[in-house]
């Protein structure tokens, strides 16, 4: 009986130890990824940024009226990037 209780306690202890090791390793990997991301952001912020491109929007409208007085309209919007 005491031997069975000792084996059960040993198994539970091994499981808890394994869980603690896994959680510790996961936390270390998360910290490492965070440091790498912060380093990449810092390097990206130090590099000069190219000037922002300007957007040009052009709108064309056409309307037509038939002999009954009905009006038909068309609107064309074009957007393009300008250097």
């Amino acid at each position: 009986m005491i031997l069975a209780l000792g084996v059960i306690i040993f198994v539970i202890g091994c499981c808890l130890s394994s869980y603690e090791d896994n959680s510790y390793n996961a936390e270390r990997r998360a910290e490492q990824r965070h440091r790498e991301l912060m380093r990449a952001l810092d390097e990206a912020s130090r590099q000069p940024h190219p000037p922002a491109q300007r957007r040009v929007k052009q709108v064309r409208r056409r309307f037509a009226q038939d002999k009954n007085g009905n009006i038909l309209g068309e609107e064309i919007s074009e957007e393009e990037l300008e250097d």
Side-chain angles (χ1 to χ4, degrees):
M1 178 77 170
I2 294 175
L3 183 62
L5 184 61
V7 169
I8 291 173
I9 291 174
F10 177 75
V11 170
I12 290 174
C14 289
C15 290
L16 289 176
S17 175
S18 175
Y19 172 75
E20 289 174 357
D21 290 342
N22 288 341
S23 64
Y24 177 74
N25 289 336
E27 185 177 332
R28 288 197 44 150
R29 284 192 304 269
E31 288 175 4
Q32 180 67 27
R33 283 193 306 269
H34 177 71
R35 280 194 297 269
E36 290 173 359
L37 285 173
M38 294 307 291
R39 189 178 315 117
L41 282 173
D42 188 40
E43 289 174 1
S45 67
R46 290 182 184 177
Q47 294 177 356
H49 298 290
Q53 294 180 340
R54 216 175 82 182
R55 291 182 183 251
V56 176
K57 183 175 181 179
Q58 181 180 11
V59 179
R60 291 184 291 172
R61 295 182 181 101
R62 294 190 297 189
F63 296 97
Q65 186 173 9
D66 63 4
K67 61 183 177 182
N68 297 330
N70 298 323
I71 297 176
L72 179 65
E74 175 184 47
E75 179 175 302
I76 301 173
S77 299
E78 295 178 349
E79 288 188 29
E80 56 186 45
L81 295 176
E82 191 175 85
D83 293 329

